[in-house]
Amino acid sequence: MEFSLSSKRISLVLVLFLFEPRLCYGARKLASLYEPPPMTLKYHKGALLEGKVPLSILWYGKFSSAQKSIVVDFLLSLKPLEQKKLLSSSTTPLVSKWWETIETYMKKAGKNMTQFILTDQVTDETCSIGRTLKRPQISELAHRVISKPGGLTLVLTADDVGVEGFCMSNCGFHGSDSKAKSVFIWVGNSVTQCPGQCAWPFHQPIYGPQGAPLGAPNGDVGVEGMVVNIASLLAATVTNPFGNGYFQGPAEAPLEAASACPGVYGKGAYPGYAGELLIDATTRASYNAIGSNGRKYLLPALFDPNTSQCTTVV
Ligand SMILES: *[C@@H]1O[C@H](CO)[C@@H](O)[C@H](O)[C@H]1NC(C)=O
Ligand SMILES: *[C@@H]1O[C@H](CO)[C@@H](O)[C@H](O)[C@H]1NC(C)=O
């Protein structure tokens, strides 16, 4: 194929560009990058995020209630029982079925299933520590909200907030405070800053082979790009919360459950093509999972430890 030669060259440039040192364990890499999946993700025998996990959200900057509910409904969709009552057909591609791949990691390590309990949501609409944040300020913000040991805080920044490394080397990252046994994830809304990097495939990619952007199932390119990155980082955080869980490669720049499958959203994916997806008959939006309130989502492929393949639920 004609395009593969040039895309290889572009990928190589991107790989070099992405491998800058990182402070946190796992960063959600730019989605347009393609690398073949590794053969295994090794378990390094450390703690995983198991059992009931209190989850808090810090909304940093302006988010509408419609935007918040796209994210919150996704998080609520990870609860298997609630969804099974809602949609009983076993062929329905539920968000909770997507999450079952993560449960496989837990089972293999002899750990309990992870169950998130959404405990608090805090809004800092005026951006109390400014609109240009350094990485340590993200953990500072997370600590304001973490109320319980073993908890997870999502720090979500609005589209007018800049974060060190955002759009340059990543779209979000996860980190931890091992003393408090708590973890955090940061993801930014890229819509005005770099949607071609952090909201692909809902936006034209800035590098690599060009395909038409896909319709966002909830009509919000920025926030649905965030959902992709949140989903990817939740998978990484649960399976590698303190840097000694499941990963491959160097601990400071690891491949984790979802970052091992960059740019893959369905079967047959290749650079510039997200893979076979479901299409909403009315809106023509693309999706591959159904969550709470019948909401549609596009979720990243996860590396399945049983099959060593990148899998999604469609
Ligand atoms: C795991 O499950 C067992 C049995 O239900 C329970 O006793 C234990 O406290 C759980 N551990 C964690 C970390 O949730
Ligand atoms: C994956 O393998 C484990 C045993 O290692 C098994 O308990 C589990 O059911 C498998 N999951 C799937 C989806 O096949």
Short mmCIF file of all heavy atoms in Angstrom, two decimals, residues 37-88:
data_model
loop_
_atom_site.label_atom_id
_atom_site.label_comp_id
_atom_site.label_asym_id
_atom_site.label_seq_id
_atom_site.Cartn_x
_atom_site.Cartn_y
_atom_site.Cartn_z
N PRO A 37 1.20 -4.30 19.16
CA PRO A 37 1.12 -4.64 20.58
C PRO A 37 2.27 -5.53 21.01
O PRO A 37 2.76 -6.33 20.22
CB PRO A 37 -0.21 -5.39 20.69
CG PRO A 37 -0.52 -5.83 19.30
CD PRO A 37 0.10 -4.84 18.37
N PRO A 38 2.71 -5.40 22.26
CA PRO A 38 3.76 -6.28 22.76
C PRO A 38 3.18 -7.65 23.04
O PRO A 38 1.98 -7.82 23.05
CB PRO A 38 4.16 -5.60 24.07
CG PRO A 38 2.92 -4.91 24.51
CD PRO A 38 2.19 -4.49 23.27
N MET A 39 4.04 -8.63 23.27
CA MET A 39 3.54 -9.98 23.49
C MET A 39 2.91 -10.18 24.87
O MET A 39 1.97 -10.91 25.01
CB MET A 39 4.68 -10.99 23.28
CG MET A 39 5.17 -11.07 21.85
SD MET A 39 3.81 -11.11 20.64
CE MET A 39 3.20 -12.78 20.93
N THR A 40 3.46 -9.55 25.90
CA THR A 40 2.87 -9.71 27.24
C THR A 40 3.03 -8.41 28.01
O THR A 40 3.91 -7.60 27.73
CB THR A 40 3.63 -10.78 28.07
OG1 THR A 40 4.97 -10.32 28.25
CG2 THR A 40 3.63 -12.14 27.43
N LEU A 41 2.17 -8.23 28.99
CA LEU A 41 2.39 -7.19 29.99
C LEU A 41 2.73 -7.94 31.26
O LEU A 41 1.91 -8.68 31.79
CB LEU A 41 1.13 -6.34 30.20
CG LEU A 41 0.72 -5.39 29.09
CD1 LEU A 41 -0.41 -4.48 29.59
CD2 LEU A 41 1.88 -4.54 28.62
N LYS A 42 3.93 -7.74 31.75
CA LYS A 42 4.41 -8.51 32.89
C LYS A 42 3.81 -7.94 34.19
O LYS A 42 3.69 -6.73 34.34
CB LYS A 42 5.93 -8.41 32.93
CG LYS A 42 6.58 -9.32 33.94
CD LYS A 42 8.10 -9.37 33.73
CE LYS A 42 8.74 -10.31 34.72
NZ LYS A 42 9.16 -9.70 35.97
N TYR A 43 3.45 -8.84 35.09
CA TYR A 43 3.00 -8.40 36.42
C TYR A 43 4.21 -8.34 37.34
O TYR A 43 4.90 -9.35 37.54
CB TYR A 43 1.93 -9.37 36.96
CG TYR A 43 1.44 -9.01 38.34
CD1 TYR A 43 1.22 -7.68 38.71
CD2 TYR A 43 1.17 -9.99 39.29
CE1 TYR A 43 0.77 -7.34 39.97
CE2 TYR A 43 0.71 -9.68 40.56
CZ TYR A 43 0.51 -8.35 40.90
OH TYR A 43 0.06 -8.02 42.15
N HIS A 44 4.47 -7.16 37.91
CA HIS A 44 5.65 -6.97 38.74
C HIS A 44 5.37 -7.16 40.24
O HIS A 44 6.14 -6.71 41.08
CB HIS A 44 6.26 -5.60 38.47
CG HIS A 44 6.80 -5.48 37.06
ND1 HIS A 44 5.97 -5.30 35.96
CD2 HIS A 44 8.05 -5.54 36.57
CE1 HIS A 44 6.72 -5.25 34.86
NE2 HIS A 44 7.98 -5.40 35.20
N LYS A 45 4.22 -7.79 40.53
CA LYS A 45 3.91 -8.27 41.89
C LYS A 45 3.56 -7.16 42.89
O LYS A 45 3.45 -7.42 44.09
CB LYS A 45 5.08 -9.10 42.49
CG LYS A 45 5.53 -10.26 41.61
CD LYS A 45 4.48 -11.36 41.53
CE LYS A 45 4.94 -12.50 40.63
NZ LYS A 45 3.84 -13.20 39.98
N GLY A 46 3.41 -5.95 42.43
CA GLY A 46 3.04 -4.87 43.33
C GLY A 46 1.54 -4.79 43.56
O GLY A 46 0.77 -5.60 43.03
N ALA A 47 1.13 -3.79 44.36
CA ALA A 47 -0.29 -3.62 44.68
C ALA A 47 -1.07 -3.19 43.44
O ALA A 47 -0.56 -2.48 42.59
CB ALA A 47 -0.43 -2.56 45.77
N LEU A 48 -2.30 -3.67 43.36
CA LEU A 48 -3.24 -3.20 42.33
C LEU A 48 -4.36 -2.46 43.06
O LEU A 48 -4.46 -2.53 44.28
CB LEU A 48 -3.78 -4.39 41.52
CG LEU A 48 -2.73 -5.32 40.89
CD1 LEU A 48 -3.41 -6.43 40.10
CD2 LEU A 48 -1.77 -4.53 40.00
N LEU A 49 -5.18 -1.77 42.30
CA LEU A 49 -6.27 -1.01 42.93
C LEU A 49 -7.49 -1.91 43.01
O LEU A 49 -8.27 -1.97 42.07
CB LEU A 49 -6.54 0.23 42.07
CG LEU A 49 -7.06 1.47 42.79
CD1 LEU A 49 -6.08 1.94 43.85
CD2 LEU A 49 -7.32 2.57 41.77
N GLU A 50 -7.64 -2.61 44.13
CA GLU A 50 -8.70 -3.62 44.21
C GLU A 50 -9.79 -3.25 45.20
O GLU A 50 -9.62 -2.35 46.02
CB GLU A 50 -8.10 -4.98 44.58
CG GLU A 50 -7.46 -5.00 45.95
CD GLU A 50 -7.04 -6.39 46.41
OE1 GLU A 50 -7.74 -7.37 46.10
OE2 GLU A 50 -6.02 -6.51 47.12
N GLY A 51 -10.90 -3.98 45.11
CA GLY A 51 -12.00 -3.80 46.03
C GLY A 51 -12.76 -2.51 45.77
O GLY A 51 -12.74 -1.98 44.66
N LYS A 52 -13.40 -1.99 46.82
CA LYS A 52 -14.18 -0.76 46.67
C LYS A 52 -13.23 0.44 46.69
O LYS A 52 -12.46 0.62 47.62
CB LYS A 52 -15.18 -0.63 47.82
CG LYS A 52 -16.31 -1.62 47.73
CD LYS A 52 -17.47 -1.20 48.64
CE LYS A 52 -18.75 -1.93 48.26
NZ LYS A 52 -18.78 -3.32 48.75
N VAL A 53 -13.26 1.23 45.63
CA VAL A 53 -12.35 2.37 45.50
C VAL A 53 -13.16 3.67 45.47
O VAL A 53 -13.92 3.90 44.53
CB VAL A 53 -11.52 2.26 44.19
CG1 VAL A 53 -10.64 3.48 44.01
CG2 VAL A 53 -10.70 0.98 44.19
N PRO A 54 -13.01 4.52 46.51
CA PRO A 54 -13.71 5.81 46.46
C PRO A 54 -13.13 6.69 45.35
O PRO A 54 -11.91 6.82 45.23
CB PRO A 54 -13.46 6.43 47.84
CG PRO A 54 -12.44 5.58 48.51
CD PRO A 54 -12.25 4.32 47.74
N LEU A 55 -14.00 7.24 44.54
CA LEU A 55 -13.59 8.02 43.38
C LEU A 55 -14.12 9.44 43.51
O LEU A 55 -15.32 9.64 43.74
CB LEU A 55 -14.16 7.36 42.12
CG LEU A 55 -14.06 8.09 40.79
CD1 LEU A 55 -12.62 8.28 40.38
CD2 LEU A 55 -14.79 7.30 39.70
N SER A 56 -13.22 10.43 43.42
CA SER A 56 -13.65 11.83 43.47
C SER A 56 -13.27 12.50 42.15
O SER A 56 -12.32 12.09 41.49
CB SER A 56 -12.94 12.59 44.59
OG SER A 56 -12.66 11.76 45.67
N ILE A 57 -14.02 13.54 41.82
CA ILE A 57 -13.71 14.30 40.60
C ILE A 57 -13.48 15.75 40.98
O ILE A 57 -14.28 16.34 41.72
CB ILE A 57 -14.86 14.25 39.58
CG1 ILE A 57 -15.22 12.80 39.24
CG2 ILE A 57 -14.48 15.01 38.31
CD1 ILE A 57 -16.41 12.67 38.29
N LEU A 58 -12.39 16.34 40.49
CA LEU A 58 -12.20 17.78 40.57
C LEU A 58 -12.37 18.35 39.18
O LEU A 58 -11.60 18.04 38.26
CB LEU A 58 -10.81 18.12 41.11
CG LEU A 58 -10.44 19.62 41.05
CD1 LEU A 58 -11.40 20.47 41.87
CD2 LEU A 58 -9.01 19.85 41.52
N TRP A 59 -13.41 19.16 39.00
CA TRP A 59 -13.64 19.86 37.73
C TRP A 59 -12.92 21.19 37.83
O TRP A 59 -13.35 22.07 38.57
CB TRP A 59 -15.13 20.09 37.52
CG TRP A 59 -15.96 18.83 37.50
CD1 TRP A 59 -16.67 18.31 38.54
CD2 TRP A 59 -16.18 17.95 36.38
NE1 TRP A 59 -17.31 17.15 38.15
CE2 TRP A 59 -17.03 16.91 36.83
CE3 TRP A 59 -15.73 17.93 35.06
CZ2 TRP A 59 -17.44 15.87 36.01
CZ3 TRP A 59 -16.14 16.90 34.23
CH2 TRP A 59 -16.99 15.88 34.71
N TYR A 60 -11.81 21.33 37.13
CA TYR A 60 -10.98 22.54 37.24
C TYR A 60 -11.23 23.42 36.01
O TYR A 60 -10.79 23.09 34.90
CB TYR A 60 -9.51 22.14 37.34
CG TYR A 60 -8.60 23.28 37.75
CD1 TYR A 60 -8.52 23.69 39.08
CD2 TYR A 60 -7.83 23.93 36.80
CE1 TYR A 60 -7.69 24.74 39.45
CE2 TYR A 60 -6.99 24.98 37.16
CZ TYR A 60 -6.93 25.37 38.49
OH TYR A 60 -6.11 26.40 38.86
N GLY A 61 -11.94 24.51 36.22
CA GLY A 61 -12.37 25.36 35.10
C GLY A 61 -13.82 25.07 34.76
O GLY A 61 -14.50 24.32 35.45
N LYS A 62 -14.26 25.69 33.66
CA LYS A 62 -15.69 25.62 33.30
C LYS A 62 -16.06 24.35 32.55
O LYS A 62 -15.51 24.05 31.50
CB LYS A 62 -16.03 26.81 32.39
CG LYS A 62 -16.50 28.05 33.11
CD LYS A 62 -17.55 28.80 32.28
CE LYS A 62 -18.27 29.84 33.13
NZ LYS A 62 -17.41 31.00 33.46
N PHE A 63 -17.01 23.60 33.10
CA PHE A 63 -17.63 22.47 32.41
C PHE A 63 -19.14 22.63 32.53
O PHE A 63 -19.64 22.92 33.63
CB PHE A 63 -17.22 21.14 33.06
CG PHE A 63 -15.79 20.73 32.80
CD1 PHE A 63 -14.77 21.11 33.69
CD2 PHE A 63 -15.45 19.97 31.70
CE1 PHE A 63 -13.46 20.74 33.46
CE2 PHE A 63 -14.13 19.59 31.47
CZ PHE A 63 -13.13 19.97 32.34
N SER A 64 -19.87 22.43 31.45
CA SER A 64 -21.33 22.51 31.53
C SER A 64 -21.86 21.24 32.20
O SER A 64 -21.15 20.23 32.28
CB SER A 64 -21.92 22.65 30.13
OG SER A 64 -21.75 21.43 29.42
N SER A 65 -23.13 21.28 32.64
CA SER A 65 -23.67 20.07 33.28
C SER A 65 -23.80 18.95 32.24
O SER A 65 -23.66 17.77 32.58
CB SER A 65 -24.98 20.37 33.99
OG SER A 65 -25.88 20.94 33.09
N ALA A 66 -24.04 19.31 30.98
CA ALA A 66 -24.10 18.28 29.93
C ALA A 66 -22.74 17.60 29.78
O ALA A 66 -22.66 16.37 29.65
CB ALA A 66 -24.52 18.91 28.60
N GLN A 67 -21.68 18.38 29.83
CA GLN A 67 -20.32 17.80 29.72
C GLN A 67 -20.03 16.90 30.91
O GLN A 67 -19.47 15.80 30.76
CB GLN A 67 -19.28 18.92 29.64
CG GLN A 67 -19.36 19.69 28.32
CD GLN A 67 -18.33 20.81 28.24
OE1 GLN A 67 -18.10 21.53 29.21
NE2 GLN A 67 -17.73 20.95 27.07
N LYS A 68 -20.38 17.38 32.11
CA LYS A 68 -20.12 16.57 33.31
C LYS A 68 -20.86 15.23 33.23
O LYS A 68 -20.31 14.20 33.62
CB LYS A 68 -20.55 17.33 34.57
CG LYS A 68 -19.63 18.50 34.90
CD LYS A 68 -20.09 19.22 36.17
CE LYS A 68 -19.15 20.39 36.50
NZ LYS A 68 -19.60 21.13 37.68
N SER A 69 -22.09 15.26 32.72
CA SER A 69 -22.84 14.00 32.75
C SER A 69 -22.31 12.99 31.73
O SER A 69 -22.45 11.79 31.93
CB SER A 69 -24.35 14.23 32.62
OG SER A 69 -24.63 14.81 31.38
N ILE A 70 -21.68 13.45 30.64
CA ILE A 70 -21.04 12.49 29.71
C ILE A 70 -19.98 11.69 30.47
O ILE A 70 -19.90 10.47 30.36
CB ILE A 70 -20.39 13.23 28.51
CG1 ILE A 70 -21.47 13.87 27.63
CG2 ILE A 70 -19.53 12.27 27.68
CD1 ILE A 70 -20.93 14.79 26.54
N VAL A 71 -19.17 12.38 31.27
CA VAL A 71 -18.09 11.72 32.02
C VAL A 71 -18.65 10.87 33.16
O VAL A 71 -18.27 9.70 33.33
CB VAL A 71 -17.09 12.76 32.57
CG1 VAL A 71 -16.06 12.11 33.48
CG2 VAL A 71 -16.40 13.50 31.42
N VAL A 72 -19.59 11.45 33.92
CA VAL A 72 -20.13 10.73 35.09
C VAL A 72 -20.88 9.47 34.65
O VAL A 72 -20.72 8.40 35.24
CB VAL A 72 -21.02 11.67 35.94
CG1 VAL A 72 -21.81 10.88 36.98
CG2 VAL A 72 -20.16 12.74 36.61
N ASP A 73 -21.67 9.57 33.58
CA ASP A 73 -22.39 8.38 33.10
C ASP A 73 -21.42 7.29 32.66
O ASP A 73 -21.69 6.10 32.84
CB ASP A 73 -23.32 8.74 31.93
CG ASP A 73 -24.60 9.41 32.39
OD1 ASP A 73 -24.89 9.38 33.62
OD2 ASP A 73 -25.33 9.97 31.55
N PHE A 74 -20.29 7.69 32.09
CA PHE A 74 -19.29 6.68 31.73
C PHE A 74 -18.79 5.96 32.98
O PHE A 74 -18.70 4.73 33.02
CB PHE A 74 -18.11 7.30 30.96
CG PHE A 74 -16.92 6.39 30.91
CD1 PHE A 74 -16.98 5.20 30.20
CD2 PHE A 74 -15.76 6.68 31.63
CE1 PHE A 74 -15.90 4.32 30.17
CE2 PHE A 74 -14.69 5.80 31.62
CZ PHE A 74 -14.75 4.62 30.89
N LEU A 75 -18.47 6.74 34.02
CA LEU A 75 -17.93 6.12 35.25
C LEU A 75 -18.97 5.20 35.88
O LEU A 75 -18.63 4.11 36.35
CB LEU A 75 -17.51 7.21 36.23
CG LEU A 75 -16.36 8.10 35.74
CD1 LEU A 75 -16.16 9.29 36.67
CD2 LEU A 75 -15.06 7.30 35.62
N LEU A 76 -20.23 5.62 35.86
CA LEU A 76 -21.29 4.79 36.44
C LEU A 76 -21.51 3.52 35.61
O LEU A 76 -21.95 2.50 36.12
CB LEU A 76 -22.60 5.57 36.55
CG LEU A 76 -22.56 6.78 37.50
CD1 LEU A 76 -23.88 7.54 37.45
CD2 LEU A 76 -22.24 6.35 38.94
N SER A 77 -21.17 3.59 34.34
CA SER A 77 -21.36 2.44 33.44
C SER A 77 -20.42 1.29 33.75
O SER A 77 -20.61 0.18 33.26
CB SER A 77 -21.11 2.86 31.99
OG SER A 77 -21.91 3.94 31.63
N LEU A 78 -19.37 1.55 34.54
CA LEU A 78 -18.41 0.49 34.85
C LEU A 78 -18.97 -0.50 35.86
O LEU A 78 -18.39 -1.55 36.10
CB LEU A 78 -17.11 1.10 35.38
CG LEU A 78 -16.37 2.01 34.41
CD1 LEU A 78 -15.25 2.75 35.10
CD2 LEU A 78 -15.83 1.22 33.22
N LYS A 79 -20.11 -0.17 36.49
CA LYS A 79 -20.75 -1.08 37.46
C LYS A 79 -21.54 -2.13 36.72
O LYS A 79 -22.55 -1.83 36.10
CB LYS A 79 -21.74 -0.29 38.33
CG LYS A 79 -21.11 0.48 39.44
CD LYS A 79 -22.21 1.07 40.31
CE LYS A 79 -21.68 2.20 41.16
NZ LYS A 79 -22.76 2.99 41.74
N PRO A 80 -21.12 -3.38 36.80
CA PRO A 80 -21.76 -4.41 35.98
C PRO A 80 -23.25 -4.63 36.28
O PRO A 80 -24.04 -4.71 35.37
CB PRO A 80 -20.96 -5.66 36.30
CG PRO A 80 -19.79 -5.24 37.11
CD PRO A 80 -20.04 -3.87 37.62
N LEU A 81 -23.63 -4.73 37.56
CA LEU A 81 -25.00 -5.14 37.87
C LEU A 81 -26.04 -4.18 37.37
O LEU A 81 -27.02 -4.57 36.75
CB LEU A 81 -25.15 -5.34 39.39
CG LEU A 81 -24.51 -6.64 39.88
CD1 LEU A 81 -24.66 -6.76 41.38
CD2 LEU A 81 -25.14 -7.84 39.17
N GLU A 82 -25.81 -2.90 37.60
CA GLU A 82 -26.78 -1.89 37.20
C GLU A 82 -27.08 -1.98 35.71
O GLU A 82 -28.21 -1.88 35.28
CB GLU A 82 -26.21 -0.51 37.49
CG GLU A 82 -27.06 0.27 38.48
CD GLU A 82 -26.29 1.47 38.98
OE1 GLU A 82 -26.02 2.34 38.14
OE2 GLU A 82 -25.96 1.51 40.17
N GLN A 83 -26.01 -2.18 34.94
CA GLN A 83 -26.18 -2.21 33.50
C GLN A 83 -26.90 -3.45 33.03
O GLN A 83 -27.66 -3.40 32.08
CB GLN A 83 -24.81 -2.15 32.83
CG GLN A 83 -24.39 -0.74 32.57
CD GLN A 83 -23.42 -0.72 31.42
OE1 GLN A 83 -22.35 -1.26 31.54
NE2 GLN A 83 -23.80 -0.14 30.33
N LYS A 84 -26.62 -4.57 33.70
CA LYS A 84 -27.24 -5.81 33.25
C LYS A 84 -28.75 -5.76 33.42
O LYS A 84 -29.49 -6.34 32.65
CB LYS A 84 -26.61 -7.01 33.97
CG LYS A 84 -25.38 -7.46 33.20
CD LYS A 84 -24.55 -8.51 33.89
CE LYS A 84 -23.22 -8.61 33.18
NZ LYS A 84 -22.14 -9.06 34.03
N LYS A 85 -29.22 -5.02 34.44
CA LYS A 85 -30.65 -4.84 34.61
C LYS A 85 -31.22 -4.02 33.45
O LYS A 85 -32.31 -4.25 32.98
CB LYS A 85 -30.93 -4.11 35.94
CG LYS A 85 -31.32 -5.07 37.07
CD LYS A 85 -31.68 -4.29 38.33
CE LYS A 85 -30.45 -3.96 39.13
NZ LYS A 85 -30.68 -2.97 40.18
N LEU A 86 -30.41 -3.04 33.02
CA LEU A 86 -30.86 -2.09 32.01
C LEU A 86 -30.98 -2.74 30.63
O LEU A 86 -31.93 -2.52 29.89
CB LEU A 86 -29.83 -0.96 31.93
CG LEU A 86 -30.35 0.44 31.92
CD1 LEU A 86 -30.51 0.94 33.35
CD2 LEU A 86 -29.34 1.33 31.21
N LEU A 87 -29.99 -3.50 30.28
CA LEU A 87 -29.92 -4.08 28.93
C LEU A 87 -29.57 -5.55 29.10
O LEU A 87 -28.47 -5.89 29.51
CB LEU A 87 -28.80 -3.40 28.14
CG LEU A 87 -28.94 -1.92 27.87
CD1 LEU A 87 -27.58 -1.28 27.73
CD2 LEU A 87 -29.76 -1.68 26.62
N SER A 88 -30.50 -6.42 28.79
CA SER A 88 -30.27 -7.82 29.16
C SER A 88 -29.64 -8.64 28.04
O SER A 88 -29.08 -9.69 28.29
CB SER A 88 -31.57 -8.45 29.62
OG SER A 88 -32.55 -8.22 28.63
#
